[in-house]
Amino acid sequence: MPNGQNRQPRDSDSAPRTEHSHRTGSFLRLGKLQRTILAAAVALFGTAAAIGMVPPDDASDLPARRTVSSIVPLTFELPATDVETAPATAPDIEEDIYISETRIRSGDTLAALLARLEINEPGLQQFLTVTPEARSIYRLYPGRTVQAAHDANGKMRWLRYIHTPGTTEDGKVITAMLQVQASEDGFRAEELKHDTTGQVRVAMGTINNSLFGATDAAGVPDAITMQMADILSSKIDFIRDLRKGDQFRVVYETRMHEGRQAGTGRVLALEFTNKGQEHNAVWYQADNGSGSYYDLEGSSLKGTFTRTPLQFTRISSNFGRRMHPIHKSWRMHSGVDYAAPTGTPIHATANAKVAFAGWQNGYGNVVILQHHGQYTTLYAHQSRIAPGITKGASISQGQVIGYVGSTGWATGPHLHYEFRIANKPVDPLSIDLPVAEALDNRQLNEFRRNTQPMREQLELLAEFQDAMPDLGTALASR
C-alpha cells in the first residue's frame, strides 16, 4: 500500500500517546518574525499549551529533550457535559495519602500489577478474584491504568482500574473505572463513572512519508486522522494523491479526564494543501439543527461523491483495456479494482437508493446504487452484502453496504468499483465529480458569521506554518 497508509486506527479507549514531552526543538533559534507568529498562535490557542517542536536536521548542538510551555488565554472551549460525576462514595482527596499508578503490560497478571504498586493487603487478590462486583478486573487491557492510594503507614486506601478511559453514553463521553476500597470488614468494590472535560486542540504538519506519520508527529489521534481523510475524500484521493511536502492544519475536539485523553470528538476545521492546491472544511450546524461540513465558501462537502469506497487501500487495476486475469484476453476494464483483505468494509460514495443487491454472474455479490440524476455506482465481488441493503433502501454517503471478497470472476479478494453516467462506465479517478449546491444568501451570511473564528484560526496556523515549514507543532487548550 502506497505511503504506508495500510495502518488501522487505534482503539479510542486505548492508552493515549504522550503528545508533547517527547518532541524536541529550540525556541531560541527562531527568528523575530517566527517568534512573533508563535506568540500570536499560542495566544489564540490555549490556557496551558505545550508546544512540541521537531528539530532542524542539524541538531547536534541542541539538547536531546526540550519542552517549551506557555500560559495563554483561551479563545473558546467546549461546553461541559452534565454526566453525574463520581458518586458520594468516592474517596475524598486527603493530604496524607500517596498515589501510585502503573500501566498494564502485555502478559501482566493481577499479582504482577499488585506487586508493582507495592500492595500487600491480605485477602485482596482473593477478593478481586471471586467478587462479582470486581469482574471488570478479570480482563486486563494492555495500556490501561491501575492506581493505588496508600496512607502514611503504607496501608492501602483504595485501588482503581481505569478500564474504559473514554466511552459514549447518551451522547456524552465518560470515563468508567473499578474502585476497590479497604473497609473495616474487608474490601468493597464498585463501578464509578466520571465526567470528562472538553478541549479544543489545533495541530499542523507536513507530509514526509505518510498521512499517519505526519499526524503522529503532530500529536493528532488516529480517529481524527481518519475523519480528516473522510471529510476531504471528495477533494483528495488519499490513496494516490498525497505528495511529500503536502501540509495540513486542523482544529478538533478531544475529551480529557484527570489530564489523560479519554476520547476524541469531531474535526471542527481543516485545511489541507495537496500538490499546491488548498482544500478546506469547517463544521457548521445550520438553523434546522443538522450539522455538516462545508468549504469556506459555503459549499457543502456532503452529497458530493467521495473518490474511493475503501479507506486506505491500494489500486490493483485501473480503468481501461487490460489482459483479463481469468479469460486471458484483452478486454475493457470498466472500473477500478481496490485490493484489500476479505471482510474490509465497503462504503457508499454518495447518498443513494439501492437499485440492485444480489448475485450477478461475473460480478458475484454486487450492489448497484442509484444516485441523483444519471449517476450510478457498482460494487462487486463482495464476500457478503451488509444487512438492510435491499432494493429500494435509502443509503447515506459513507454507509457500509458490504464487505470485500472474491466472489464471481475474481482471482483474489478485492473490490471492483464502477462509476456510471447514463449507464455508461467512466473513470472515477479522472472525471470531475458532481458537487453539492451552495447555501442561499441568507444561510451564507449566517454561515460566514458563525464560522469566522475557525477561519481566523486556520489563517493564523497557515502563517505560522509558512514561517516555520519544518516545525511540527501541536497546541492544546486546557
Side-chain angles (χ1 to χ4, degrees):
M1 188 171 300
N3 293 331
Q5 309 270 14
N6 58 340
R7 171 173 153 188
Q8 295 298 317
R10 285 186 291 271
D11 178 359
S12 62
D13 294 340
S14 63
R17 294 172 291 194
T18 301
E19 299 189 0
H20 308 295
S21 60
H22 70 286
R23 289 194 270 283
T24 60
S26 176
F27 185 69
L28 299 177
R29 288 176 175 252
L30 301 179
K32 181 177 180 181
L33 173 60
Q34 295 171 336
R35 291 197 298 269
T36 301
I37 294 177
L38 176 60
V42 174
L44 184 58
F45 293 127
T47 44
I51 306 168
M53 301 183 181
V54 176
D57 293 336
D58 182 12
S60 58
D61 60 337
L62 297 182
R65 183 179 303 233
R66 181 182 180 92
T67 300
V68 181
S69 298
S70 302
I71 306 301
V72 291
L74 246 181
T75 56
F76 61 99
E77 57 186 6
L78 297 177
T81 60
D82 56 359
V83 176
E84 183 178 353
T85 55
T89 54
D92 296 328
I93 301 298
E94 301 177 37
E95 293 183 0
D96 62 342
I97 67 170
Y98 303 88
I99 299 175
S100 58
E101 71 173 38
T102 186
R103 293 288 181 88
I104 298 172
R105 305 166 187 168
S106 181
D108 260 345
T109 63
L110 179 58
L113 285 171
L114 296 178
R116 281 209 302 275
L117 291 169
E118 300 182 354
I119 296 176
N120 188 23
E121 297 290 328
L124 175 59
Q125 187 169 343
Q126 175 70 11
F127 172 83
L128 294 173
T129 303
V130 303
T131 304
E133 290 78 13
R135 61 184 177 275
S136 60
I137 209 167
Y138 301 168
R139 300 183 66 182
L140 299 176
Y141 296 98
R144 306 292 167 84
T145 301
V146 181
Q147 299 174 334
H150 295 84
D151 62 20
N153 298 318
K155 182 175 177 57
M156 189 194 81
R157 293 288 188 88
W158 50 258
L159 175 73
R160 289 177 180 170
Y161 172 33
I162 306 175
H163 53 76
T164 311
T167 187
T168 301
E169 289 189 6
D170 299 325
K172 303 176 179 67
V173 180
I174 64 171
T175 287
M177 67 184 73
L178 167 69
Q179 179 170 284
V180 179
Q181 286 183 266
S183 61
E184 293 182 358
D185 55 351
F187 304 97
R188 182 176 73 253
E190 61 182 332
E191 289 287 336
L192 304 179
K193 293 180 180 179
H194 287 259
D195 190 10
T196 59
T197 57
Q199 274 192 357
V200 173
R201 295 190 173 189
V202 301
M204 66 190 77
T206 300
I207 307 297
N208 288 317
N209 297 304
S210 69
L211 176 60
F212 276 107
T215 54
D216 274 353
V220 177
D222 285 350
I224 295 297
T225 304
M226 298 295 287
Q227 287 187 47
M228 290 166 58
D230 182 61
I231 291 165
L232 292 179
S233 59
S234 64
K235 303 295 184 181
I236 303 171
D237 184 341
F238 282 88
I239 300 171
R240 304 169 72 230
D241 289 348
L242 289 189
R243 298 292 185 270
K244 184 175 182 179
D246 287 353
Q247 294 182 327
F248 69 85
R249 297 163 288 279
V250 62
V251 183
Y252 63 95
E253 300 171 331
T254 190
R255 307 296 302 183
M256 304 295 291
H257 175 252
E258 294 183 347
R260 297 182 178 86
Q261 186 170 302
T264 55
R266 65 166 58 96
V267 169
L268 300 176
L270 171 64
E271 206 160 57
F272 204 106
T273 303
N274 171 237
K275 296 188 290 188
Q277 185 175 358
E278 192 174 279
H279 305 279
N280 47 56
V282 62
W283 173 261
Y284 173 63
Q285 190 163 340
D287 48 16
N288 61 6
S290 61
S292 186
Y293 288 99
Y294 296 79
D295 64 25
L296 293 180
E297 302 303 316
S299 294
S300 174
L301 298 176
K302 194 73 173 177
T304 61
F305 284 82
T306 58
R307 285 284 178 189
T308 58
L310 298 180
Q311 293 180 328
F312 302 113
T313 182
R314 67 179 178 87
I315 295 173
S316 56
S317 184
N318 283 295
F319 183 92
R321 288 185 61 80
R322 67 166 185 177
M323 175 66 72
H324 196 282
I326 293 179
H327 300 291
K328 305 302 181 183
S329 60
W330 285 94
R331 297 190 176 192
M332 181 64 186
H333 186 233
S334 56
V336 175
D337 289 349
Y338 295 95
T342 298
T344 301
I346 301 168
H347 302 267
T349 53
N351 297 342
K353 285 190 178 295
V354 177
F356 180 86
W359 187 276
Q360 255 190 27
N361 299 323
Y363 284 133
N365 286 325
V366 62
V367 172
I368 301 175
L369 300 183
Q370 177 67 57
H371 306 280
H372 65 278
Q374 297 180 307
Y375 300 103
T376 56
T377 53
L378 178 147
Y379 312 77
H381 305 312
Q382 300 184 28
S383 59
R384 59 188 176 95
I385 296 170
I389 305 302
T390 57
K391 185 175 181 178
S394 295
I395 304 299
S396 299
Q397 184 185 54
Q399 181 176 338
V400 174
I401 59 172
Y403 302 88
V404 168
S406 54
T407 57
W409 295 342
T411 57
H414 71 281
L415 170 68
H416 174 83
Y417 173 66
E418 294 184 15
F419 190 94
R420 299 173 174 178
I421 302 176
N423 210 34
K424 179 182 177 180
V426 297
D427 187 354
L429 300 178
S430 62
I431 64 167
D432 291 330
L433 295 177
V435 296
E437 294 182 0
L439 301 170
D440 61 34
N441 288 336
R442 183 190 65 81
Q443 293 171 325
L444 186 58
N445 289 334
E446 185 72 14
F447 168 83
R448 287 172 175 165
R449 181 166 55 254
N450 290 340
T451 60
Q452 184 61 27
M454 291 296 172
R455 186 190 305 266
E456 291 173 354
Q457 293 190 46
L458 290 175
E459 289 174 354
L460 185 56
L461 284 173
E463 292 180 22
F464 187 15
Q465 198 168 28
D466 287 344
M468 292 169 287
D470 297 327
L471 184 64
T473 304
L475 302 175
S477 64
R478 293 186 186 274

